Amino acid sequence: MTNKIKRIAVLTSGGDAPGMNAAIRAVVRSARHFEFEVYGINRGYHGLIYGDIKKLGTNDVANILHRGGTMLKTARSEEFRTTEGRIQAFNMLKEHEIEGLIVIGGNGTYTGAMHLCKEHNVKVVGLPGTIDNDIYGTDYTIGFDTAINTAIDAVDKIRDTADSHNRLFFVEVMGRHSGYIALHTGIGSGASAVFIPEVDNSVEQYVEILKKSGRRNKLFNLAIVAEGNQNGSAAEIAEKVKAKYDKADIRTTVIGHLQRGGAPTANDRILASRLAYAAVEALSKNKFNCALGIVDKKIVYTPFKDAISLVKAPEEELIRMAEILSM
Ligand code: F6P
């Protein structure tokens, strides 16, 4: 008796991330190689619950590799968090005779996938698709590289104004509860401070650094603020600094969703393609209930329960280095 499945589906869920299209394309093309029929589910788990499902062929995924966003659309489904929602989703999969599912998203996506595996024995594998890079079991997530390149590009532009006006800019970047985007943006743009959730940054200490740099005639500064840091938003930190150092001419910028869009970088296209191929291969070998990642250049499979519960945080060494280079 063979366990070989015939029909698989792919969906994207949670926040969109550059490289998701490259992953969808690679799923469809790999599926042909492994002799699976492949379906696309629109709008993530929401579309699954409501049967927004269509067959995908090679032509459907032509000319998307280089595009940001996701051709399958995405959503954050409240209904799928409920047992009833997942029963409905399972019934849709049964109706379409879909036995294997590839989900591309972040932690919330993986949590849904784990429940679907546990409650209904669906063969699900996950791919890390989020700009936040906060998924355990992979060095990088799909979208992170593009997001930090976009953020660094934005900070480079802000630097021109900071320099021309001798100003201090607080630039807020995304990352939800994670400091990866801020830390990497800070290192890549030569910021004089990085406020991240993983570090208990002291505003007082930063003010001292600013005063010192003023004395050595460094008249402009850039600080990168992760949205989830412990001191508040860029605007709130700016206010705290102004209260202690009123000489500073301060401005704030929130990069926001600019970081989520745009053409994926080469790294994200290649990462997405490689992971998606490996996901289809995993299903062909009857491997499921796990998330895929690349660690030290090798594909690794992490059970959903670990990928969800284990925390991935920026390396201490990198945090220390960023501090040293900022002075
Ligand atoms: O998870 C990706 C992310 O962009 C986070 O960095 C951010 O906190 C969140 O999504 C924003 O979500 P939304 O687009 O739903 O406002």
Side-chain angles (χ1 to χ4, degrees), residues 243-298:
K244 294 185 188 308
Y245 188 37
D246 68 349
K247 258 172 68 182
D249 184 9
I250 306 180
R251 295 291 187 277
T252 57
T253 303
V254 179
I255 302 183
H257 288 81
L258 270 179
Q259 289 152 101
R260 284 244 295 263
T265 57
N267 278 337
D268 273 330
R269 296 177 196 199
I270 294 161
L271 176 69
S273 303
R274 199 175 160 203
L275 285 171
Y277 172 82
V280 180
E281 188 181 41
L283 286 175
S284 80
K285 293 180 174 163
N286 212 28
K287 217 176 172 83
F288 54 91
N289 197 8
C290 60
L292 271 71
I294 296 180
V295 176
D296 289 340
K297 298 188 189 160
K298 292 206 170 55

Side-chain angles (χ1 to χ4, degrees), residues 149-318:
N149 273 287
T150 302
I152 288 171
D153 185 52
V155 178
D156 282 351
K157 291 184 169 117
I158 290 166
R159 172 184 281 271
D160 289 344
T161 302
D163 180 17
S164 304
H165 286 260
N166 289 340
R167 280 179 181 162
L168 161 60
F169 267 88
F170 287 93
V171 183
E172 187 173 309
V173 295
M174 281 187 167
R176 205 181 289 268
H177 309 299
S178 163
Y180 267 106
I181 295 179
L183 180 63
H184 285 243
T185 302
I187 294 169
S189 61
S192 62
V194 178
F195 290 78
I196 57 175
E198 295 82 1
V199 173
D200 186 12
N201 296 91
S202 149
V203 169
E204 286 72 22
Q205 220 171 313
Y206 186 46
V207 169
E208 287 316 307
I209 289 170
L210 289 171
K211 286 182 179 166
K212 229 191 256 173
S213 75
R215 287 197 288 274
R216 52 170 239 265
N217 224 18
K218 182 174 188 285
L219 299 171
F220 78 92
N221 273 285
L222 299 161
I224 310 299
V225 176
E227 61 177 342
N229 88 93
Q230 306 178 25
N231 281 285
S233 66
E236 285 162 345
I237 298 177
E239 238 173 73
K240 289 179 196 169
V241 169
K242 186 75 184 166
K244 294 185 188 308
Y245 188 37
D246 68 349
K247 258 172 68 182
D249 184 9
I250 306 180
R251 295 291 187 277
T252 57
T253 303
V254 179
I255 302 183
H257 288 81
L258 270 179
Q259 289 152 101
R260 284 244 295 263
T265 57
N267 278 337
D268 273 330
R269 296 177 196 199
I270 294 161
L271 176 69
S273 303
R274 199 175 160 203
L275 285 171
Y277 172 82
V280 180
E281 188 181 41
L283 286 175
S284 80
K285 293 180 174 163
N286 212 28
K287 217 176 172 83
F288 54 91
N289 197 8
C290 60
L292 271 71
I294 296 180
V295 176
D296 289 340
K297 298 188 189 160
K298 292 206 170 55
I299 297 282
V300 297
Y301 309 86
T302 306
F304 279 133
K305 69 169 176 24
D306 293 340
I308 293 158
S309 59
L310 299 174
V311 176
K312 178 177 155 210
E315 301 71 24
E316 290 285 331
E317 193 193 330
L318 219 55

